[in-house]
Amino acid sequence: MKTFIVPKSLHEVFGERQTWLEVTGVVLFALLGSSLIYGLLYTPIAELSLWRSVIAWLLIADILAGCIANFSRGTSQFYGARASGRWLFIAIHFHLIAVAWLLGEPILAMGYIWAYTIAAAIIVNLLQQYRYQLFIAANLIAYGLILIVALALPSWLMLVSILFMLKVVFSFGVDHYAYERV
């Protein structure tokens, strides 16, 4: 499939080269997915200011976009070649805690999920050159799913938490195209 050069300002999202199919898939999932979560699953627990709602839903759209984008060849190769960028990516992902605070949801539960996700992502990132990276990442996701379900969150927050964990630990954490650089 033919690729195009991604503008430098979007390298962190799409990498240096990307296909229109992958970009379209990422944008559609971010927009449609977050709209469906908001429109079908989300029930506000309190009256919120517009700015809080807008920022929270932009963060949720970012979670969904990254969940798909990090599986793309361009994004995976971009971060696969940049060890410091990988650590920075893991370090800046406070999305769940921010969403919980902005929407008045249980911050402590989101803190547990966030801490588990970051710890799992660190482990997976440390396994970049190892054969079992994919297997360990899948195991960590499976345990994380048990944690998320055990916390008995509202369905929309459970779904966002699952997609966040998938994004950071599996979609981003695993170098899906390492074999192409060998």
Side-chain angles (χ1 to χ4, degrees):
M1 187 169 283
K2 190 174 180 177
T3 62
F4 64 92
I5 297 173
V6 174
K8 190 168 179 66
S9 62
L10 296 174
H11 281 183
E12 285 76 21
V13 179
F14 294 114
E16 295 171 337
R17 298 195 65 79
Q18 198 57 267
T19 67
W20 285 111
L21 173 69
E22 290 166 313
V23 169
T24 302
V26 168
V27 172
L28 281 176
F29 187 66
L31 295 176
L32 292 175
S34 59
S35 296
L36 290 171
I37 290 169
Y38 182 75
L40 297 177
L41 300 174
Y42 176 66
T43 303
I45 59 174
E47 185 69 30
L48 299 170
S49 61
L50 180 61
W51 72 268
R52 289 175 79 119
S53 295
V54 169
I55 292 172
W57 291 101
L58 287 173
L59 288 171
I60 291 170
D62 179 74
I63 290 169
L64 273 62
C67 186
I68 302 301
N70 292 327
F71 279 113
S72 74
R73 179 175 279 110
T75 307
S76 188
Q77 288 179 336
F78 180 79
Y79 284 107
R82 291 164 178 78
S84 62
R86 298 184 67 73
W87 290 113
L88 179 62
F89 181 94
I90 293 167
I92 66 170
H93 275 80
F94 286 94
H95 294 55
L96 285 182
I97 295 170
V99 167
W101 176 76
L102 288 164
L103 297 179
E105 295 294 339
I107 293 177
L108 185 59
M110 292 299 93
Y112 292 146
I113 296 168
W114 172 83
Y116 179 87
T117 300
I118 297 305
I122 289 168
I123 291 167
V124 171
N125 197 42
L126 289 170
L127 297 173
Q128 280 300 308
Q129 304 300 320
Y130 293 91
R131 178 175 169 241
Y132 292 107
Q133 183 197 36
L134 178 65
F135 179 77
I136 298 298
N139 269 264
L140 292 170
I141 287 290
Y143 285 111
L145 293 174
I146 292 169
L147 169 66
I148 291 169
V149 172
L151 291 170
L153 304 166
S155 62
W156 75 270
L157 194 53
M158 188 179 303
L159 179 57
V160 170
S161 298
I162 289 168
L163 292 171
F164 176 78
M165 189 176 292
L166 182 63
K167 169 188 177 171
V168 178
V169 178
F170 198 76
S171 175
F172 172 78
V174 174
D175 190 355
H176 302 282
Y177 302 95
Y179 63 89
E180 292 180 357
R181 288 189 300 278
V182 175

